[in-house]
Amino acid sequence: MKKNFKAVTLFLVVMMLTSILAACGNSKKIEIGIVLPTKDEERWIQDEERFKAALKDSKYNTEILFSQGSSAKEKENVEALIAKGIEVLIICPFDGDGAASAVKAAKEADITVISYDRLITNTKNVDYYVTFDSVSVGKAQAQYLVDKTTGNGQPLYLYAGAATDNNAFLFFQGAWEVLQPKIADGTFKIANSSEAIALQDVATLDREQMSKIIGQVTTNWEPAEAKNKAQTHLTAAAADAKGDVAILGPNDGTSRAIADVFGADGDITSYVISGQDAEKATIQYIIDGKQSMTVLKDVRVLVKDAMDMAIGILDGTTPATTGTYPNGEIDVKAKQTDVVTVDKDNVKKAIVDSGYYEAKEFTNLK
Ligand code: GAL
């Protein structure tokens, strides 16, 4: 009897140990979790590819999940990563305010939160921010339009990103800083926004004023919405709002859609349009003369900054930062990276010779 009892106890202990070991084997610990907003835009596929390349030789385990344009899915992703034991979360929010509850859950699990490219807003639960200089992106877009414009009274069409993305405000802020004096001196005449016309004498817009304009000319970062808006604007435009025009195109995906609409209008003689992200499709558009410029945001650098920061945190060091960004509740310590203007004159040098993309991905590149 006693012997039997011992044997059964031993058997149960062995079984328990086996199942614990099996459980450990199944769910590999992940140290760094990465959450990106959507797979539907080339920009974020770029980031995924660059992360994968950077992670190949990392001593830490990482996992990348996509939120597919949904804050609910984003929270699920963060929870799944928390369950896998992450210690650092690198997250680009789909919606800056909408990510608050996801990062709250991360902080409650003692995880360091790095906001990636887009700032998570109106929460204290974000530790660091790695970003491009987004105000400079807007300035570069606007400066290009200014440099390519001759004469007076050139129609100016304004478009913006999604109001849920803090970056849309930073881009617009930078663009307005450069465009407003040129609107005031008569170089440009705003063609598609009554809200912008109402504010055209204001040199520096506050957030509420920018909200009014962005609310009217937002693309929501969606090419289909950009296309619809551009069609509506051109249908409503008077003859003097056509001819040679300038267009503040917010990012490559939406800029290509807008460029297609303007390119198809027989009353548009020529257009200059900005963009950003150096998407491959846009590089081809620039080579073909269909989009005027893009802003190269070298994702390799952003990924390296984010990974260096994450690894530093895991290794117990304090990450180096270059300044702070206010997120509505706190000033978030940030590491910021510069951007490069690309047009047909430097596309080969900036994009291909730099090793960003390979020449074989494009046609007619000279
Ligand atoms: C911004 C990002 C841009 C662009 C846009 C649309 O936040 O900085 O590079 O991709 O979102 O996703």
Side-chain angles (χ1 to χ4, degrees):
M1 181 72 179
K2 225 178 168 188
K3 231 181 175 179
N4 265 350
F5 178 74
K6 264 191 179 167
V8 169
T9 315
L10 188 68
F11 175 75
L12 286 176
V13 169
V14 170
M15 288 290 285
M16 249 171 62
L17 285 176
T18 319
S19 57
I20 289 170
L21 283 176
C24 292
N26 283 344
S27 56
K28 186 174 75 171
K29 181 179 157 65
I30 305 285
E31 284 96 0
I32 306 170
I34 301 164
V35 178
L36 296 173
T38 178
K39 260 193 176 197
D40 295 342
E41 291 172 36
E42 201 191 300
R43 159 70 214 266
W44 305 112
I45 304 286
Q46 273 191 49
D47 294 69
E48 181 191 30
E49 283 172 4
R50 304 300 190 185
F51 264 117
K52 282 189 176 156
L55 296 174
K56 263 202 324 253
D57 306 318
S58 171
K59 63 176 170 172
Y60 292 113
N61 295 314
T62 52
E63 185 167 335
I64 307 175
L65 298 174
F66 282 87
S67 308
Q68 290 314 103
S70 152
S71 298
K73 174 86 181 137
E74 182 173 81
K75 178 137 194 245
E76 272 171 36
N77 286 340
V78 171
E79 279 163 352
L81 293 166
I82 295 173
K84 290 185 179 181
I86 58 162
E87 289 165 52
V88 181
L89 173 68
I90 297 173
I91 173 169
C92 179
F94 160 63
D95 172 321
D97 282 351
S101 79
V103 293
K104 185 163 182 272
K107 285 312 294 176
E108 281 164 4
D110 222 13
I111 291 162
T112 304
V113 175
I114 302 175
S115 203
Y116 178 83
D117 192 282
R118 296 179 181 170
L119 187 56
I120 300 168
T121 39
N122 294 310
T123 169
K124 57 181 186 338
N125 296 314
V126 44
D127 298 290
Y128 296 102
Y129 181 33
V130 286
T131 181
F132 293 105
D133 182 348
S134 295
V135 173
S136 286
V137 171
K139 281 189 192 169
Q141 294 175 328
Q143 192 58 49
Y144 197 86
L145 304 185
V146 170
D147 291 346
K148 297 293 166 185
T149 297
T150 47
N152 245 3
Q154 174 127 341
L156 172 67
Y157 289 80
L158 300 170
Y159 295 93
T164 51
D165 177 0
N166 189 56
N167 285 349
F169 288 83
L170 300 175
F171 302 143
F172 199 83
Q173 178 193 324
W176 188 261
E177 206 176 293
V178 175
L179 292 174
Q180 192 276 337
K182 294 290 174 185
I183 297 164
D185 76 6
T187 308
F188 290 123
K189 188 167 182 278
I190 300 167
N192 68 330
S193 168
S194 55
E195 296 287 0
I197 291 170
L199 291 161
Q200 65 186 4
D201 295 329
V202 183
T204 307
L205 301 173
D206 63 25
R207 187 129 180 147
E208 210 176 298
Q209 291 168 323
M210 272 192 279
S211 278
K212 286 189 177 157
I213 304 175
I214 293 174
Q216 195 172 40
V217 298
T218 182
T219 59
N220 263 321
W221 293 134
E222 283 169 17
E225 187 161 341
K227 180 181 173 192
N228 283 341
K229 279 219 160 121
Q231 279 170 339
T232 307
H233 293 151
L234 285 184
T235 305
D240 68 350
K242 297 214 173 171
D244 299 319
V245 304
I247 310 162
L248 181 68
N251 80 338
D252 286 349
T254 57
S255 296
R256 290 193 304 276
I258 296 166
D260 288 346
V261 173
F262 278 75
D265 188 311
D267 297 325
I268 299 291
T269 323
S270 75
Y271 62 88
V272 186
I273 185 167
S274 61
Q276 69 170 304
D277 291 339
E279 292 188 355
K280 285 177 197 163
T282 273
I283 298 307
Q284 191 60 55
Y285 259 49
I286 289 178
I287 296 166
D288 296 342
K290 294 200 280 187
Q291 185 177 320
S292 318
M293 66 86 81
T294 187
V295 180
L296 168 64
K297 300 162 79 171
D298 190 330
V299 172
R300 294 172 300 187
V301 179
L302 201 65
V303 161
K304 188 177 183 306
D305 284 349
M307 287 307 296
D308 285 353
M309 203 178 250
I311 290 166
I313 291 160
L314 287 165
D315 290 344
T317 59
T318 305
T321 48
T322 51
T324 60
Y325 270 76
N327 84 336
E329 193 153 328
I330 54 168
D331 286 333
V332 185
K333 288 192 215 88
K335 171 111 185 12
Q336 183 173 285
T337 289
D338 291 341
V339 297
V340 179
T341 296
V342 177
D343 73 354
K344 62 178 182 338
D345 294 335
N346 71 340
V347 63
K348 187 170 175 297
K349 186 166 174 280
I351 297 292
V352 174
D353 298 349
S354 69
Y356 200 66
Y357 295 139
E358 289 180 62
K360 66 167 192 259
E361 308 196 67
F362 309 105
T363 51
N364 297 325
L365 179 71
K366 288 183 193 83

